[in-house]
Amino acid sequence: MTTESNFATLRQGLQLGCAALVLAAAGLAAPAWAQDTTSIKVLNWQPGGPEYWIALVEAFEAENPDITVELETVPFDRYPEVQGPYITTRSGPDVMQNNSGLELYDRRSAYIELPPETLAAGKNLITYAGGCLNFDTTQPCYGLPFGYQGNVMYYNKAVLTQAGLNAESPPTTWEEMDAACEAVKAIGKTCLAHGMTGVFPAYWNFPEIARNFLTEDDMRAVLAGDLPWTDPKMTSILEAMASIGERGWINSNSPSISMLPDGADIFASGNAAFASTIIADAVNWQAFGAALGDENVGAMRWPVLVADAPLANSFSGTESAVFGVSSWTNKQDAALKFVEFIAGTENGNLLTSLGGGIALNNNVDPSLIPESQALAQIQEIIKTPTLHAGILLSGQEADALARGWQEVTLGRLSVPDWAARMQVALEESPGKN
């Protein structure tokens, strides 16, 4: 027997259905309550900027009208402290962003292994190995990327000219960098805009010095935890990092500030000649061009420290951030669709045209690549890639690297003691033991 309550429910359903039909007849979209939709939360640090992310979400939702996306955007330097509690409580976002390499591997319990049909979305990517164990696509993969990433040093041509230097011929060796820094400091400017807090030293500075002392085999040994920090090659890297402060290249408050946004702001304000950052996503050629004028911004490799080092003139390249599906989500199908879209051609086109990124998708429309001298220089630099030593470090090592560099620069720690701390961090790294 049908109850009065059942009739009420039936009437409500008929009313909603009729309303949807009326809207359809009028050429209007049915409201959200008239459709079955799944809402997914995506934890991210918004690489490429707000405009790109607005366009990305709109394009994804247009292609998947049964899915809506809620973004939880966190500043890059605060990302681990926000993501950590989600992983501990096994709750929260359905999709999460992470850097490729050991940062992702250390947290892989928070992600599902991507199924073959999702990995097939990466078939048009130049590479997606940074989301897979041991950088091997035949092993479990936990995320797909969307762009290429790596390190360069930007320079402000106006500042170099003001300092009496050739703006079209920036320094290529540490000796030339020393001379350039003296000239820049003489006009009251900072030579190398810099910040030491957070993970930036591990990802943006350490790889550029490591290339002077390590071979690719050495780097793979770093990944495996088989090259101790007390090895002369590793201590040479730390000594060179320490010498940057001793040489007076950097701003005096470098130990107490973060590279993003503080250090980058010094460069973007026109108060520094150089800045060591990344090729894409944030604080890139596009952002600096907007702040300083495209005509004033150039991109170069870090100056070479060891002239005959086999990798000294290479590019530290890797996939940019990867996106994976959280292991606790109950919206796995919708979350996987978002990860597949991230790796697709449409998103590659958006990243290229709006996000200042270098897409990994082979099918991106080349006519969308913006005109910029700095970008053109970057396109040449990335033609000779090598492994990115920064993403081979565990979270414990990255933290010890940054803290040690701060203390060494402030004169509170010796390099041998820094190396000893790094070795302890290595031995405490679960991903390497």
Side-chain angles (χ1 to χ4, degrees):
M1 182 175 180
T2 305
T3 64
E4 189 170 303
S5 174
N6 293 142
F7 279 123
T9 301
L10 179 61
R11 281 197 301 272
Q12 184 181 36
L14 289 171
Q15 289 167 352
L16 292 177
C18 290
L21 288 172
V22 169
L23 287 168
L28 301 174
W33 45 256
Q35 304 176 28
D36 291 327
T37 60
T38 300
S39 178
I40 59 172
K41 178 182 283 189
V42 178
L43 182 68
N44 70 96
W45 58 75
Q46 207 171 69
E51 181 185 7
Y52 160 65
W53 272 86
I54 290 171
L56 186 162
V57 171
E58 287 179 349
F60 174 77
E61 291 181 342
E63 187 174 300
N64 300 274
D66 58 334
I67 304 173
T68 59
V69 176
E70 176 190 350
L71 299 178
E72 181 177 0
T73 300
V74 179
F76 179 73
D77 59 339
R78 290 191 54 244
Y79 195 80
E81 69 183 74
V82 173
Q83 188 188 38
Y86 286 137
I87 296 175
T88 300
T89 60
R90 297 188 61 76
S91 63
D94 307 288
V95 175
M96 297 189 295
Q97 176 180 6
N98 263 119
N99 283 311
S100 61
L102 270 172
E103 180 179 301
L104 177 67
Y105 308 159
D106 283 351
R107 304 170 192 178
R108 62 184 180 274
S109 64
Y111 294 90
I112 67 168
E113 181 181 340
L114 295 182
E117 54 271 25
T118 297
L119 291 179
K123 66 182 179 182
N124 292 319
L125 296 176
I126 296 169
T127 177
Y128 59 87
C132 309
L133 286 181
N134 297 321
F135 296 86
D136 183 350
T137 57
T138 67
Q139 295 196 32
C141 301
Y142 298 91
L144 283 178
F146 61 119
Y148 197 35
Q149 190 56 283
N151 307 80
V152 292
M153 189 175 283
Y154 292 96
Y155 56 97
N156 186 330
K157 297 179 183 180
V159 172
L160 295 183
T161 299
Q162 186 181 354
L165 301 168
N166 184 350
E168 301 305 322
S169 182
T172 60
T173 67
W174 277 46
E175 290 74 18
E176 291 175 0
M177 187 72 172
D178 261 335
C181 285
E182 290 303 314
V184 170
K185 288 187 291 183
I187 61 170
K189 302 271 188 179
T190 295
C191 185
L192 177 63
H194 204 252
M196 292 183 181
T197 67
V199 298
F200 302 102
Y203 291 144
W204 292 4
N205 308 117
F206 167 74
E208 302 317 295
I209 296 173
R211 287 189 289 103
N212 289 275
F213 299 99
L214 303 181
T215 65
E216 289 202 352
D217 285 343
D218 291 331
M219 290 187 192
R220 294 189 186 281
V222 170
L223 172 64
D226 293 336
L227 186 62
W229 281 92
T230 50
D231 184 283
K233 292 181 179 181
M234 301 300 280
T235 56
S236 292
I237 298 170
L238 299 182
E239 288 168 354
M241 292 178 70
S243 76
I244 289 175
E246 296 167 359
R247 292 167 181 264
W249 290 4
I250 56 179
N251 36 293
S252 60
N253 64 343
S254 180
S256 63
I257 65 171
S258 171
M259 188 58 201
L260 182 62
D262 304 318
D265 284 347
I266 296 173
F267 182 75
S269 67
N271 288 311
F274 302 93
S276 171
T277 71
I278 48 180
I279 64 171
D281 300 343
V283 293
N284 61 5
W285 57 271
Q286 187 179 60
F288 290 142
L292 300 169
D294 286 328
E295 70 281 4
N296 289 320
V297 180
M300 57 186 253
R301 292 184 183 87
W302 267 62
V304 171
L305 176 58
V306 180
D308 58 352
L311 301 179
N313 288 302
S314 298
F315 169 68
S316 298
T318 183
E319 298 93 333
S320 60
V322 295
F323 287 80
V325 175
S326 62
S327 53
W328 53 77
T329 182
N330 60 359
K331 303 170 183 177
Q332 191 174 109
D333 289 345
L336 286 169
K337 285 184 179 179
F338 186 83
V339 171
E340 292 164 10
F341 185 85
I342 281 284
T345 302
E346 184 173 4
N347 185 43
N349 286 332
L350 291 173
L351 179 68
T352 301
S353 58
L354 297 177
I358 298 175
L360 281 174
N361 194 291
N362 280 313
N363 296 326
V364 165
D365 183 353
S367 69
L368 296 175
I369 299 174
E371 291 188 12
S372 158
Q373 181 181 344
L375 178 57
Q377 290 171 312
I378 289 169
Q379 295 283 7
E380 288 299 312
I381 291 170
I382 66 177
K383 289 180 179 179
T384 53
T386 189
L387 293 172
H388 188 291
I391 66 169
L392 309 181
L393 303 183
S394 65
Q396 290 85 346
E397 289 171 293
D399 183 64
L401 190 76
R403 294 180 186 276
W405 202 7
Q406 290 172 289
E407 292 188 49
V408 167
T409 302
L410 292 170
R412 300 172 183 170
L413 186 72
S414 68
V415 171
D417 287 341
W418 186 14
R421 283 192 190 179
M422 295 300 301
Q423 183 62 24
V424 170
L426 167 60
E427 293 168 0
E428 294 177 347
S429 302
K432 294 189 174 185
N433 296 299

